[in-house]
Amino acid sequence: MLEQAAVDEILEILAQLYPNPTTELEHETPFQLLIATILSAQCTDQRVNIITRKLFADHPTVESLEQLSIQEIESYIRTAGLWQTKAKNIKRTCEILIDNYNGEVPRTREELMKLPGVGRKTANVVLANAFNVPAFPVDTHVHRVANRLGLAASSNPNQTEEQLTALIPEEYWKDAHHWLILHGRRVCSARKPNCEECPLAHLCQTAFTHQ
């Protein structure tokens, strides 16, 4: 694990590289972000955005989307991974939101994780990006980059989240989540990270070991 001075320098560099970061999932409401995040499992944000542009144009609200059958939802999301399971989860989530939450998206992790298809990462994405609740979502990019850099030393995302939230001040959680995602997509890729051009290489615990 890194010393705090190195952690601070990493955060400063990432902030300069990726100013004003935000989720790349297109949405206008917390409900739309929830559905987009459910769809994003094993699916790129770009693909999700293609799907939701049509889906949300036709059915922007929970009440409208809930009226669709599972088969009709499938017809919109068929190009997403695990689309059959996701269609069932989206349908049931809409029903639960209407029946139990007056059509509103709950604002606690515990309540969000009761919804079908919503795990800890999805709940944290909604909390941080829709409600500005302090949360640190850990997806595959965050998990990979954090462990390569030495910000975490863990084999599973939940432990990585615990270590990151202990190491990084709460006011940086939302931005740091996005910084690590963007760095993972643009520089620190899974198979062949671009260590030669990475401005964090001099601080990274595993630089040039994945070539």
Side-chain angles (χ1 to χ4, degrees), residues 153-174:
S154 167
S155 60
N156 72 75
N158 287 347
Q159 288 183 350
T160 294
E161 180 189 340
E162 290 178 7
Q163 293 172 11
L164 289 172
T165 54
L167 189 66
I168 296 173
E170 184 177 287
E171 62 265 29
Y172 293 110
W173 288 359
K174 179 180 176 181

Side-chain angles (χ1 to χ4, degrees), residues 38-139:
I38 290 173
L39 287 169
S40 71
Q42 298 190 27
C43 189
T44 66
D45 287 358
Q46 291 83 356
R47 171 57 56 186
V48 172
N49 289 337
I50 291 171
I51 292 169
T52 57
R53 283 169 197 155
K54 174 62 173 171
L55 178 63
F56 295 156
D58 294 346
H59 303 283
T61 66
V62 61
E63 293 82 6
S64 175
L65 189 51
E66 191 273 336
Q67 293 298 311
L68 297 182
S69 68
I70 291 174
Q71 291 72 28
E72 288 171 324
I73 296 173
E74 287 177 348
S75 70
Y76 280 96
I77 70 169
R78 197 174 296 272
T79 57
L82 306 174
W83 52 274
Q84 291 172 307
T85 298
K86 290 175 181 177
K88 294 175 184 176
N89 287 340
I90 288 170
K91 174 67 173 178
R92 184 62 185 137
T93 288
C94 290
E95 293 171 345
I96 292 171
L97 292 180
I98 290 172
D99 292 344
N100 298 348
Y101 299 99
N102 197 32
E104 299 294 326
V105 176
R107 295 178 177 233
T108 69
R109 183 180 295 109
E110 292 72 21
E111 293 300 310
L112 283 165
M113 290 179 65
K114 293 178 182 178
L115 300 172
V118 177
R120 187 176 182 89
K121 186 212 77 172
T122 296
N124 282 341
V125 168
V126 173
L127 290 173
N129 292 284
F131 301 126
N132 286 315
V133 173
F136 206 126
V138 175
D139 68 355

